[in-house]
Amino acid sequence: MAAAPARRNRTAICLLGGALACAPAGGSAGPAAPGQEVDSALARYGRFTMQMASDSLAAFFTPDGQLVAEGQPPIVGPAAILTHLRSFNDYRVLGDSLVADSTVADSATGLQVGHYWQRVRVPKGDTIEVRGGFEARWVRVAPHVWRLQRLATRR
């Protein structure tokens, strides 16, 4: 990252029920700063998670992007990530919260560290809850367009 990235800590209010809306504490008018753009990208990722929109989720990753779960080998590239996500087609996300506790971003890269929670109905009908932390590394690929270079979760 550049020498002096914009740094923001944020408090998020996440409303669940078909859409995830995370709003930073406070607000500002005018063009979005890189940190705000990265936060918005994470919120879109969260909405697609609730919808189980595998194609849209996989499209968030760069060609060499990695989806990493603690203790597992990385899943690399949108095609492999899409295949992985489709393996969960018989699961239903009932609730999801993906909150960045901190966002650091400059004009080219972003880093978020935060926590997640998810309630899922598994194919046999049971409901499980998982929670943990995440680290998301973002890269800007076009003006106002951010893609995940690496999304790693841990419990």
Side-chain angles (χ1 to χ4, degrees):
M1 284 195 211
R7 180 166 183 88
R8 298 174 52 253
N9 284 325
R10 78 189 213 109
T11 303
I13 301 169
C14 292
L15 305 173
L16 301 173
L20 175 71
C22 294
S28 64
Q36 292 169 319
E37 290 181 355
V38 170
D39 285 341
S40 293
L42 184 69
R44 283 192 311 278
Y45 190 91
R47 286 191 298 274
F48 288 133
T49 299
M50 276 299 299
Q51 298 166 5
M52 295 191 63
S54 299
D55 293 341
S56 297
L57 290 167
F60 264 87
F61 289 84
T62 62
D64 62 346
Q66 298 181 4
L67 180 60
V68 183
E70 187 175 51
Q72 301 294 318
I75 302 165
V76 181
I81 291 168
L82 177 59
T83 298
H84 172 74
L85 294 173
R86 285 183 175 164
S87 73
F88 294 95
N89 281 347
D90 293 335
Y91 292 69
R92 291 292 160 244
V93 176
L94 304 174
D96 181 79
S97 176
L98 187 62
V99 178
D101 297 318
S102 68
T103 298
V104 179
D106 60 27
S107 63
T109 62
L111 174 66
Q112 292 175 305
V113 176
H115 61 279
Y116 70 91
W117 164 86
Q118 208 171 57
R119 180 179 294 129
V120 177
R121 182 176 304 124
V122 299
K124 292 185 178 184
D126 296 333
T127 299
I128 61 169
E129 288 190 17
V130 293
R131 65 184 71 239
F134 75 88
E135 180 181 284
R137 294 183 191 166
W138 298 87
V139 293
R140 184 190 304 255
V141 296
H144 314 294
V145 180
W146 293 85
R147 293 291 176 252
L148 284 161
Q149 191 170 49
R150 185 171 195 273
L151 177 59
T153 60
R154 67 189 180 289
R155 287 197 184 184

